[in-house]
Amino acid sequence: MLRAMAPELPANPIASLVGTTEHGVPDIAARILDTDGALAFLPGGDVRDHLRHLADTAPLEDLAAVWDTAQQVRTWALDLCERVESELDAGQLGEAVEEWLRGRQTMSGLAVLEALRDRCWSPSKGTLSALGLLYQREQFALLDRLVPGCQWHLLKTPGMLPPPVYDLFKDLIDQGMPRWNRPRPGGSRGAGRV
């Protein structure tokens, strides 16, 4: 649906699954969609209960990682807005405007909206943002077990994720990339297909 509304946007792996599997790949649809076409693997009930459970059971290093990432996302989003405003004020549209445009209807754009909505970031807002990232990582991992590969390489598309979030999902993204194109230790890519 997002592609129909804005065909220039990058594909989204979750939207792609929902939009194509029911009719195109029914065996996958049976694993991830319920009878209403919703994602069946998402927990039911009040999401706050699930977030509380995550906060109580997640390892401390995971909680620290998502807390740091949530803060980095906020800093990135506010910095992006300042850079966009500077380019607009100067009448010179450049990299910041391009970055903002690429992410306006993806997870990057949602991060910018969240940062702008709450200029004063309280500890509770930071906690909610961090737990949202932890929840997202948990659900992506669960989906990857149901549909291995799952087009995770699409998350690497410029503008899809706020740059600080990339590291949280790096393992999923790299496994979805062709083996010959995965980053190697030291940053180089494979020279040819394996």
Side-chain angles (χ1 to χ4, degrees), residues 13-42 143 146-147 150:
I14 302 299
S16 176
L17 277 172
V18 174
T20 63
T21 56
E22 255 185 90
H23 301 290
V25 191
D27 60 317
I28 292 176
R31 286 183 265 163
I32 64 165
L33 300 176
D34 64 19
T35 55
D36 295 330
L39 294 171
F41 60 89
L42 296 177
L143 179 56
L146 295 171
V147 184
C150 196

Side-chain angles (χ1 to χ4, degrees), residues 69-90:
T69 301
Q71 290 180 329
Q72 291 168 16
V73 167
R74 180 171 173 75
T75 300
W76 165 82
L78 293 175
D79 177 67
L80 177 63
C81 290
E82 285 180 20
R83 292 186 295 124
V84 167
E85 288 173 5
S86 293
E87 290 180 7
L88 293 173
D89 288 345

Side-chain angles (χ1 to χ4, degrees), residues 74 109-118 121 125 128-129:
R74 180 171 173 75
L110 294 175
V112 170
L113 290 176
E114 181 181 349
L116 292 175
R117 186 178 307 117
D118 297 307
W121 209 44
K125 289 287 185 181
L128 184 58
S129 293

Side-chain angles (χ1 to χ4, degrees), residues 50-179:
H50 188 68
L51 292 177
R52 280 188 206 99
H53 176 74
L54 277 177
D56 288 340
T57 59
L60 287 178
E61 57 271 10
D62 287 357
L63 291 172
V66 294
W67 177 261
D68 289 344
T69 301
Q71 290 180 329
Q72 291 168 16
V73 167
R74 180 171 173 75
T75 300
W76 165 82
L78 293 175
D79 177 67
L80 177 63
C81 290
E82 285 180 20
R83 292 186 295 124
V84 167
E85 288 173 5
S86 293
E87 290 180 7
L88 293 173
D89 288 345
Q92 298 266 329
L93 304 186
E95 290 179 13
V97 169
E98 185 179 331
E99 184 177 358
W100 175 78
L101 285 171
R102 276 195 315 257
R104 71 189 187 279
Q105 292 178 327
T106 63
M107 290 178 261
S108 288
L110 294 175
V112 170
L113 290 176
E114 181 181 349
L116 292 175
R117 186 178 307 117
D118 297 307
R119 288 293 182 145
C120 296
W121 209 44
S122 67
S124 62
K125 289 287 185 181
T127 301
L128 184 58
S129 293
L131 288 176
L133 288 169
L134 188 62
Y135 172 79
Q136 189 174 13
R137 188 171 75 172
E138 175 194 68
Q139 295 308 306
F140 280 6
L142 174 58
L143 179 56
D144 189 63
R145 287 193 297 275
L146 295 171
V147 184
C150 196
Q151 301 178 335
W152 296 119
H153 63 283
L154 295 176
L155 293 176
K156 192 174 182 174
T157 304
M160 180 61 68
L161 294 175
V165 176
Y166 175 81
D167 284 342
L168 282 180
F169 304 127
K170 188 174 181 340
D171 290 344
L172 285 174
I173 293 167
D174 287 349
Q175 79 166 2
M177 293 173 66
R179 289 181 60 201

